[in-house]
């Protein structure tokens, strides 16, 4: 999927895969800006027309707006702009729009400051800065309705500047921040908060006289410009500036004592954790300056480097104090975690207590430790904690001591602690870590294979250390060879072992502590593959439709960092995934019983996809499988789950499709082929031909394994339809023939009718009108027998199209009129729009261009409303050809270019050839000979690929005079 970025800060722009794309003229740019300023919300057609034509909109404004929408869809390459009731909305993820990215960084910085984490706040503000490229929409006229949004963005920028100042002051950068504050005050001299920061900064860097002068300046400014005095905070600062400074209290000398240092060997270069180190050290220094203790809980999945980070921070803190530095293992991942009372005894002894003075009661020992730490700047590393209950008695109450806790589980109960959750490294840091172990020269010599090793290790520090150590010990071993060995998931954990260091052993410790249901779910989830999944899959694995049970199990797995919560999907449901190495380990532990549990997941996906298909805005022309069997497992609250069916498919189709290939191992062949057939309506709507073909290939294998001839016939018909879209007509006919034959043998008239009608489509495309008419009439007969009114409407349109191609216009009109009336009667808007499109073509052939244009506008509006860009592209092609014929060349060019993009996206080479030919004619009319010739040559190449002799000859005749000249 392409990476897309939308820019509102500075000039309007769109980047796709790092490349700026042209957005067209002023009107489509205004339209895009208006949608992006309210991204995700429906913007009414009237509002958009007012933005694009603020003074005198044309009568065709609504139709022109649709054209601009399609031109933007073509540029954006993905289905982003959706039509809703009386308007449009643009779908943009938060990380794709610079205004929301900027706002999210500022919001995170704001939270960091509230939690006393100024180093984190500065990191977030530094990340936000590149997104602010200038004043919002700097290159465009601003519509009056944009005022509130633009004002909020300006205020957000000011907030970011103020947060940056506050964070730098909190980090002690008093001197460096003064010039920035003066610059901000030039832009906004009446902002009291900025004056307060300036006075504080000047005072703290020893420039008290200048601080007093700054107060006098703001006092004079406010009096002269506003007739008011500064606010209470500024006046309070002025009072403190002139107050005498009390002498610092003298601390009594401490008796000399031998300090203890139990820290393990430090990791000299803790790659990728620099921000965490800086943030914790800054926190410790601030709290020690106030005389308060610091507790930091470092949690994360196994192998992520929690202990290494804690030990490294402790070594860094040792530079600031010569007090005790203790390291205590709590054995949290063993079968018998240490009792807090025993740990308290060990710590107290390390601090000088004797066995005679050591209390026996746990609460008394905890009190003794708090007393011992109250006057020390000690640092205690509590490694591998099992729970908050184990840790709580070991924490200080007062004094400047530091406790660093590491754990594989989250400990939100420790509310006074700073919580640091470690994740895997980013790609660059992971590559640096590997380079530091195996040598930069080897990584630079094989960069692609080094990247493969990093990916196979899942960027997990422990795995990278093991992989690096193996390579470092084998200097002649190529990275490509080792990357190939890691690529096999079945042996990956075997490869990630060196000496007594093994990834598998680390993962086993976390798995061993899981309760029964969580362990079962963990093993089975490994079989899902490298995909995200919704929470209900755990209910399916456990055969429990109680959502509370599934959520409780997921909470255990998430808290243990064995499953990761990765966010919400388009339906608002939370989604989860497993780290690749955890997934490999889970799959190793799974037995046949665990794998068979996934059959219920496949059944659940089939039930949800079936419910989604029933709610799809466009009815799919195909054969539906039998209703969901009552024995199949179903997700709880299915109606809520699929309330927005297209959004559900957008979120779930990758996971659903990933279940098809391994279905045999799940004993799920029956559910698998059924699932594939209910994915096809989505693939058809989204033009995902390759996904469709791959899913149906697995479905065909599954249906044949179960001996289900009905399922085989359905899948053969659907595979044939993919081949039609790919212009592979011989294959399509063979697949349709086999499908029709199977349906006929089974006595399934509706299925046979669909297959026969599909066969008629191929004959019509290839110009065999007699066979096309024969197939369409036979399909109509079969549809009528079974009472399939939707199928009847399809067959009537097909018959009318053939009759129109034969020149029997009156007869064709009858068929189209009947089809339209039938589609309207049964509420099939999509099929009715197809009938309207055909009526428009008939009007055009009769020379009734006004009527043709009116009907095409109607059809395009319906296709837009149904979010069917595929069919809208064909209707736009027809309208573009009409505009070309009537001399409206500018509008024709835009419409034909839009439809050409649709045909290229869908792989419809025949339609691409036709439109390329029309664009050649258009540019020839404009006197643009080179562009015209390019389009004609493209059309010629496509007709040759398709072996379309008449069309090829026609283009060659058209090109011959041009090429000879």
């Amino acid at each position: 999927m392409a990476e897309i970025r939308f820019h509102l800060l500075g000039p309007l722009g769109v980047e796709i895969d790092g490349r700026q794309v042209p957005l067209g003229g002023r009107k489509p740019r205004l339209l895009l800006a208006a949608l992006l300023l309210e991204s995700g919300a429906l913007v009414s057609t009237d509002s958009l027309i007012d933005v694009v034509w603020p003074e005198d909109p044309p009568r065709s404004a609504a139709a022109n707006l649709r054209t601009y929408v399609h031109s933007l869809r073509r540029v954006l390459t993905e289905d982003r702009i959706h039509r809703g009731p009386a308007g449009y909305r643009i779908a943009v993820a938060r990380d794709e729009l610079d205004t929301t990215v900027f706002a999210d960084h500022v919001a995170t910085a704001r939270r960091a400051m509230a939690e006393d984490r100024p180093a984190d706040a500065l990191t977030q503000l530094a990340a936000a800065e590149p997104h602010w490229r200038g004043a919002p929409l700097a290159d465009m006229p601003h519509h009056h309705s944009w005022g509130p949004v633009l004002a909020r963005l300006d205020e957000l920028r000011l907030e970011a500047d103020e947060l940056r100042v506050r964070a730098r002051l909190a980090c002690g950068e008093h001197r460096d921040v003064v010039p920035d504050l003066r610059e901000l005050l030039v832009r906004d001299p009446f902002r009291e908060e900025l004056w307060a920061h300036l006075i504080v900064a000047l005072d703290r860097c020893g420039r008290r006289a200048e601080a007093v002068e700054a107060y006098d300046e703001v006092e004079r400014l406010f009096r002269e410009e506003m007739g008011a005095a500064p606010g209470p905070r500024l006046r309070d600062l002025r009072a403190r500036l002139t107050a005498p400074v009390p002498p610092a209290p003298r601390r009594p000398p401490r008796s000399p004592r031998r300090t203890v240092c139990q820290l393990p060997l430090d990791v000299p270069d803790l790659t990728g954790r620099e921000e965490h180190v800086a943030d914790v050290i800054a926190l410790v220094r601030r709290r020690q300056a106030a005389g308060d203790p610091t507790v930091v809980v470092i949690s994360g999945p196994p192998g992520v480097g929690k202990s290494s980070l804690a030990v490294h921070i402790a070594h860094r803190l040792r530079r600031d104090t010569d007090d005790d530095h203790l390291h205590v293992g709590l054995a949290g991942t063993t079968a018998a975690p240490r009792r807090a009372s025993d740990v308290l005894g060990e710590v107290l002894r390390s601090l000088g207590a004797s066995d005679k003075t050591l209390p026996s009661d746990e609460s008394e020992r905890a009190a003794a430790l708090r007393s011992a730490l109250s006057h020390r700047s000690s640092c205690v590393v509590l490694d591998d904690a099992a729970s908050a209950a184990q840790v709580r008695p070991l924490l200080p109450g007062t004094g400047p001591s530091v406790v660093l806790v590491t754990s594989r589980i989250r400990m939100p109960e420790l509310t006074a602690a700073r919580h640091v959750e470690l994740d895997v490294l980013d790609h660059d840091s992971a590559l640096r870590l590997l380079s530091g172990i195996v040598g930069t020269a080897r990584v630079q010599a094989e960069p692609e294979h080094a990247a493969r090793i990093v990916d196979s290790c899942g960027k997990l520090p422990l795995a990278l250390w093991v992989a690096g150590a193996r390579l470092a010990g084998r200097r002649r071993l190529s990275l490509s060879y080792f990357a190939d060995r890691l690529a096999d998931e079945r042996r990956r954990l075997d490869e990630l072992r060196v000496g007594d260091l093994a990834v598998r052993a680390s993962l086993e410790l976390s798995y061993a502590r899981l309760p029964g249901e969580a362990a079962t779910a963990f093993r089975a989830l490994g079989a899902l593959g490298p995909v995200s999944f919704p929470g209900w899959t755990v209910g399916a694995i456990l055969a429990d439709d109680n959502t509370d049970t599934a959520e409780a199990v997921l909470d255990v797995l998430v808290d243990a960092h064995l499953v990761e919560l990765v966010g919400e999907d388009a339906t608002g449901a939370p989604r989860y995934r497993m780290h690749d190495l955890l997934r490999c380990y889970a799959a190793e532990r799974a037995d046949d019983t665990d794998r068979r549990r996934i059959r219920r997941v496949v059944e659940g996906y089939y039930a949800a996809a079936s419910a989604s298909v029933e709610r799809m805005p466009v009815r799919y022309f195909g054969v539906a499988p039998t209703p969901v069997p009552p024995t199949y497992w179903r997700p709880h609250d299915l109606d809520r789950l699929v309330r927005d069916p297209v959004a559900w498919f957008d979120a779930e189709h990758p996971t659903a499709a990933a279940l098809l290939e391994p279905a045999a191992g799940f004993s799920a062949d029956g559910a698998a082929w059924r699932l594939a057939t209910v994915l096809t309506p989505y693939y058809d709507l989204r033009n995902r031909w390759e996904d469709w073909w791959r899913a149906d290939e697995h479905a065909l294998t599954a249906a044949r394994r179960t001996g289900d001839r009905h399922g085989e016939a359905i899948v053969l018909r659907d595979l044939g339809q993919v081949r039609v879209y790919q212009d592979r007509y011989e294959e399509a006919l063979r697949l349709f023939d086999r499908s029709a034959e199977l349906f006929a043998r089974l006595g399934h008239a509706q299925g046979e009718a669909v297959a026969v009608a599909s066969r008629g489509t191929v004959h019509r495309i290839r110009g065999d009108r007699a066979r096309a008419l024969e197939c369409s009439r036979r399909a109509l007969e079969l549809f009528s027998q079974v009472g399939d009114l939707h199928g009847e409407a399809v067959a009537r349109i097909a018959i009318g199209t053939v009759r129109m191609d034969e020149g029997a216009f009156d007869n064709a009109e009858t068929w189209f009129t009947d089809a339209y009336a039938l589609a309207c009667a049964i509420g099939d808007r999509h099929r009715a729009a197809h009938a309207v499109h055909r009526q428009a073509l008939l009007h055009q052939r009769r020379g009734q261009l006004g009527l043709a244009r009116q009907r095409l506008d109607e059809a395009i509006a319906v296709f837009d409303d149904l979010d069917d860009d595929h069919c809208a592209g064909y209707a736009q092609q027809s309208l573009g050809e009409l505009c070309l014929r009537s001399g409206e060349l500018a509008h024709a060019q835009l419409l034909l270019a839009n439809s050409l993009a649709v045909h290229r996206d869908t792989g419809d080479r025949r339609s691409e050839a036709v439109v390329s030919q029309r664009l050649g004619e258009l540019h020839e009319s404009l006197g643009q000979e080179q562009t015209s010739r390019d389009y004609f040559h493209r059309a010629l190449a496509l007709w040759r690929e398709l072996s379309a002799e008449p069309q090829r000859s026609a283009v060659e005749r058209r090109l011959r005079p041009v090429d000879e000249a």
Side-chain angles (χ1 to χ4, degrees), residues 290-361:
D292 295 328
T294 307
V295 179
V296 178
V297 178
I298 303 171
S299 63
V304 82
K306 303 177 292 295
S307 299
S308 296
L309 176 62
V311 169
H312 183 75
I313 291 172
H315 275 285
R316 285 285 304 274
L317 292 174
R318 193 162 177 258
R319 302 175 190 173
D320 298 339
T321 177
D322 57 357
D323 226 322
D324 303 298
H325 281 69
L326 309 183
H327 184 277
V328 185
L330 301 185
T333 52
T334 67
R338 298 183 65 185
R339 295 186 308 160
S341 178
D342 295 339
V343 177
L344 284 164
E346 178 183 334
V347 173
L348 287 168
R349 289 188 193 95
S350 298
L351 294 176
S354 65
D355 287 344
K356 291 181 180 180
T357 60
L358 202 63
S360 58
D361 181 72

Side-chain angles (χ1 to χ4, degrees), residues 128 307 323 333-334 430 509 562 676 709 712 715 734 829 848 856 900 909 925:
S307 299
D323 226 322
T333 52
T334 67
L509 294 173
L562 295 177
R709 309 295 276 175
E712 183 179 352
V715 176
R734 286 196 296 271
R829 296 178 64 214
Q848 300 166 328
L856 283 169
L900 183 66
R909 293 177 295 164
S925 300

Side-chain angles (χ1 to χ4, degrees), residues 905-927:
D905 286 345
T906 60
D908 185 347
R909 293 177 295 164
R910 180 172 293 271
S911 296
E912 183 185 349
V914 171
V915 176
S916 295
Q917 202 167 323
R918 297 293 174 266
L919 284 167
E921 296 167 7
L922 184 148
H923 286 283
E924 186 179 62
S925 300
L926 293 171

